[in-house]
Amino acid sequence: MWLNPEEVLLKNALKLWVTERSNDFFLLQRRRGHGEPTSRITGLLVGALDTVLDSNARVTPFRILLQVPGSQVSWVIASGAAIEEVNKHWDWLVHNLLHSLSVFENKEDAASFVKGKVKGLIAEDARGRQAAQEEDPEKFREALLKFERHFSLPSSEKLVTFYSCCCWKGRVPRQGFLYLSINHMAFYSFLLGKEVKFVIPWAEVMQLERVSTTLMTEAIRVTTRQRQREFSMFLNLDETFGVISQLADITLRRLLDSEGLELDRVLQQPARITKRILEEQALREYVLALFRLPRAEMLHEVVSCSVWTPHARCHTAGTLYTTDSYLCFSSREEGSCILLIPLSEVLSIEKAESTSPLPNPVIVSVRTKKAFQLIELQDRDELVENMNSRLRALQWKQSMFRSKKDSRSRSVVSYWSRTRNINGAFINVSTCEFICACCQSMETVKERLWEDHFSEFGRSVHMFRTGKIQKLVAMGIPESLRGELWMTFSDASSELESHQGYYASLVQKSMGQSNLATEEIERDLHRSLPDHPAFQNPTGIAALRRVLTAYAHRNPKIGYCQSMNILASVLLLYAKEEEAFWLLVAVCERMLPDYFNRRVIGAQVDQSVFEELIRERLPELAEQVPDLSTLSSVSLSWFLTLFLSVLPFSSAVCVVDCFFFQGIKAIFQLGLAVLEANAAQLSACTDDGQALMILTGFLDQVGNEESPCVASSSPPEENSCSDFTLPAVGQINITALISESFEKFRDLTVRQIERLRCLHRIQVLQAHEDTIKENALRLVTPDVSISHEDLSDIYDLFKVSFLFSFFFFFTNKPAAWQYSDSSRSFVERQYRVDRPQFKSLYGLLAPWPSDQHGDTLANRTFTLLDQDCDNLVTFKEFASWLDTLYCEELNEKIRLLYRLHIPPALTENEEDSSLKSPLLSTNRPLYVNKEPSGRDDEVQDYQEQLKQMLRDLTKEKEKDVDKPLPLMNQREFIQLCKTLYSMFHNDPEENDLFQAIATVTSLVLQIGEASHRGETKGSEVSGQEEAKAAGQAQGAAAENEWTVSYAQILASLLTEQALVNFFEKPAELSAKISEAKNNQYQQRAGLLSLQQRTR
């Protein structure tokens, strides 16, 4: 295959390669030992060296080198595993390029020509492979060429798919094509001689909607911060809207919330994203949510089949999903029958004899001596082979783990036995001592119902989950079975089984550590169920501390967040300590992803989804309460604590039962039911406080059959006994409320929730960006005089420049990205730009001409602003620089120019030939269009005028008075003059300005010379001593030193009115910003395209 040319310094280091064919420009080489049956020792030696030194060469034993005659440098341009493949590439080079290379006089140009051709072949091959994956390869290839031609984006901007549609401008539709790439959506139309095209980066999308109007039956509305665009007349609107939603969501998560995609390996490489990948990813997200699988699970096969269901005595049709560690089955109607089989429980997967009633059957045997029969499987042989391959790999991994576990020290085992005994006593206290006699009979009835259910549907993780079990869960799980069933429903039992001893080792490692997470844990330990006796003694507190600390050590990105203590304490009431830990892992990492972090993105996304569900399912309430943010803010604690903080304890644990069985869908359904029950009162509310009181009062009255008013976990104290005397009228039974929520909102599916999450995550992330922007502006505004509107626009330009590099470079992220870590403070997490990004912004916003010298000045400005020397500039530093240029007085602008021409902004190794130029003579002044007078009194007049101005300047208060600026030597002053000359090009007063600067230059040179002569006479003795100490050369250099001060330069500039007018002339920042908005994207895209072509 063709390779991007990679430089090789030694064409045959250590004689590892044998040249098979060669000419003046190309070499075809074979790896020594490959294909030589008689040279076994050579092959072994080379293989060993490949393993240590050059792993890439081990994979491809043949390669083609591009060489330049007379040079030791070569480039690998092709490689292959077979000689036939490499020979094809060799023949193509000989027949198509070799003859053309002879016309190049410069052999380096010939090499560049070949490298460009090879890159073109790679790009064409990539296009062909991508097109081949589409349904109509030729049509896609044609669309790809049009996309590249119309929009001129860098070659790394990969087209994902395209659709024919109409873009509406008012009431006028424009028929064209919508192109969806990995970072942008672009539209192109050419109709009746009029061309319309635009590009919208996904990072600027604020909201996506499906709308209907009188003109458009159904359309997709894309909202950015600047405007709205509406597209209609799609052949498949559902598919188009899904792809647009996914691409926008993926891009925003990659750019603004990178931690959210940590485990999605495919999405971390946007260049690999295709339409097929998006479809597979959407299905994978649905499967992970439906079965609540670990986020690292990868989806492999999706096949239609039927499963024998003993309780129904028939085969149930549905879909089988296979992942790395699970076999998952869901009936056609989501939720009516679900089966989850961990591969760790599987003994064998075998094919059975196919018959007409049982076509293509497969038998899956598990460790509990049960077997599951699947029929009507397409491609059964390949499916069974793949599943068995994963099963064997998992069994081998488990056997290796067990061997390591058996070799553990006895200290760990004894430690674990001790914690289990403590936990056992803890459970007895919590579940038995405070259950009143009237509740025990109900517990017995529930236990008997569950035992009957187990005998019919199974008991372990792979039980059949149907509507019947949902009714049992709504009644409340018996306390004796609650911990077991929580472990079963969440499949935390499989995690526990496969990680024996893991929790004990975490406890040992985290014991005694002190950090922010442990401090927060210690602060919240006694706030976790403070009324429960189990957490009023050292035993319960110690167990809670170990669980929370161990999890913080396991997952430092989450660490510890508020509400985790409440959840963990409830888990400890019904499960052993290690089981409670794995339940906490399941909740935080699988069932409530992105909930428990500093920004609680997941919880905010679900609140936004909840608002939309209210509008959809409770339209009358939504109409009476237009601002649903009040209800969503009240309901935030419902989602974060699973109603534990708002319901009586005995009722809240029933909600937790439903959550472990159905996931977040149960919380959505219950939340809608609570709002529906209070819709009339909420509609009449006049303020937020009244709504909060209504919902709080309602939830306080929710009880259950065993204990309608008392938490089953509360101790039998006086206040608890008094609650029994409350009237039962108006009280709500939790079982009835849960059953009602299941029944009324049963059509709410996991698939619908996942789609809504994808859409609303876009809005939540953009809302976070708006908050960050407001905080940044609030931080900068007091220090600058730029208007709030202009500062806001500057921030947007700054942010786009920061994000732009991530659009097209996916492997090497700039250093600025490390500061976006959410664990940093706000000031640390500000957007920062590196040198190339700053230079781009400089060219857009600097008020001075951006010629070749402007690039040098931009480099110096970046160095000056980079005060902490991390090669990054913050928005505050950038805004302060612009404020000086556009809003400050003349003396501050001159001060900035002065600082740009002395260290550290001006460096000795700066690539500017003028820095190395000899010193200018100061024997005669410099004048332009002015005859020299030759009178000595003229220089004297200038000096007298200068002295008077210096006296005036000393009376004024200047900034940084405590930090006087260093003196400027003659080379640095020459650079300042060069900058000033470059600033006056194309100015209407160009001639006057050139004459003025020439006058000032002459004056400053004479002042410096006069000052230098005076210093030389006064320090002749010290100069001689320096010469003796440092050597004759250094003494001569020191004697010739020439310097001027900032005050002298400023005073000289003030003598010329033309210069004063130039620097005091107001600059239109708003106009510059408006122009920059129009040019920024095209400028950066063009620059990146140029950079990629020259690589």
Side-chain angles (χ1 to χ4, degrees), residues 529-541:
L529 301 184
D531 296 332
H532 197 286
F535 298 101
Q536 294 174 351
N537 61 77
T539 302
I541 293 296

Side-chain angles (χ1 to χ4, degrees), residues 84-141:
E84 293 80 11
E85 178 185 5
V86 180
N87 277 334
K88 289 181 181 179
H89 293 335
W90 177 269
D91 293 340
W92 188 91
L93 292 170
V94 170
H95 291 101
N96 294 278
L97 288 186
L98 188 60
H99 178 71
S100 302
L101 298 180
S102 60
V103 303
F104 287 92
E105 296 182 1
N106 189 336
K107 302 306 180 184
E108 296 291 342
D109 293 341
S112 299
F113 174 76
V114 173
K115 287 188 283 185
K117 281 290 185 182
V118 171
K119 290 180 180 178
L121 291 172
I122 294 173
E124 184 63 28
D125 185 51
R127 292 192 190 99
R129 288 198 303 270
Q130 183 182 358
Q133 296 176 358
E134 303 296 326
E135 297 177 357
D136 191 340
E138 290 301 324
K139 190 175 181 180
F140 185 85
R141 188 178 287 107

Side-chain angles (χ1 to χ4, degrees), residues 979-994:
T979 298
L980 292 173
Y981 272 103
S982 68
M983 291 166 57
F984 303 148
H985 284 297
N986 301 321
D987 191 276
E989 306 295 332
E990 182 176 355
N991 290 334
D992 293 340
L993 289 170
F994 282 160

Side-chain angles (χ1 to χ4, degrees), residues 1033-1054:
Q1034 292 184 0
E1039 185 179 355
N1040 292 330
E1041 191 65 34
W1042 178 102
T1043 58
V1044 291
S1045 67
Y1046 159 70
Q1048 291 170 332
I1049 292 178
L1050 175 60
S1052 300
L1053 288 171
L1054 291 176

Side-chain angles (χ1 to χ4, degrees), residues 837-984:
Q837 294 165 347
F838 176 83
K839 289 168 68 176
S840 173
L841 287 169
Y842 182 95
L844 291 168
L845 293 174
W848 304 317
S850 300
D851 55 4
Q852 184 176 1
H853 187 71
D855 185 73
T856 302
L857 204 59
N859 273 314
R860 295 176 189 165
T861 305
F862 179 85
T863 304
L864 179 65
L865 297 180
D866 181 21
Q867 298 178 359
D868 50 3
C869 299
D870 59 354
N871 290 319
L872 297 170
V873 170
T874 66
F875 173 67
K876 185 175 182 179
E877 294 165 342
F878 183 78
S880 177
W881 168 70
L882 280 181
D883 183 64
T884 301
L885 295 182
Y886 284 93
C887 302
E888 289 289 356
E889 300 293 335
L890 176 147
N891 61 327
E892 289 303 320
K893 296 178 183 178
I894 301 303
R895 175 185 288 269
L896 174 62
L897 282 173
Y898 185 91
R899 295 180 64 194
L900 289 175
H901 295 84
I902 59 175
L906 186 69
T907 58
E908 290 294 333
N909 59 353
E910 186 176 283
E911 295 182 3
D912 194 327
S913 59
S914 59
L915 280 177
K916 303 178 179 63
S917 62
L919 299 179
L920 293 184
S921 172
T922 59
N923 294 331
R924 52 190 173 90
L926 298 178
Y927 294 100
V928 177
N929 295 333
K930 190 174 182 180
E931 295 181 359
S933 64
R935 294 178 298 179
D936 295 337
D937 58 339
E938 184 174 342
V939 176
Q940 185 67 25
D941 291 341
Y942 278 123
Q943 292 178 349
E944 291 297 330
Q945 188 178 8
L946 174 62
K947 291 178 181 179
Q948 181 62 38
M949 290 183 176
L950 288 176
R951 285 192 293 269
D952 294 339
L953 288 172
T954 55
K955 299 178 182 179
E956 299 179 1
K957 292 183 179 180
E958 297 182 358
K959 292 183 179 179
D960 299 330
V961 69
D962 296 332
K963 298 180 180 178
L965 294 176
L967 298 178
M968 178 180 286
N969 63 36
Q970 190 178 116
R971 289 188 178 87
E972 295 164 352
F973 176 68
I974 293 169
Q975 286 297 301
L976 174 61
C977 294
K978 183 177 179 180
T979 298
L980 292 173
Y981 272 103
S982 68
M983 291 166 57
F984 303 148

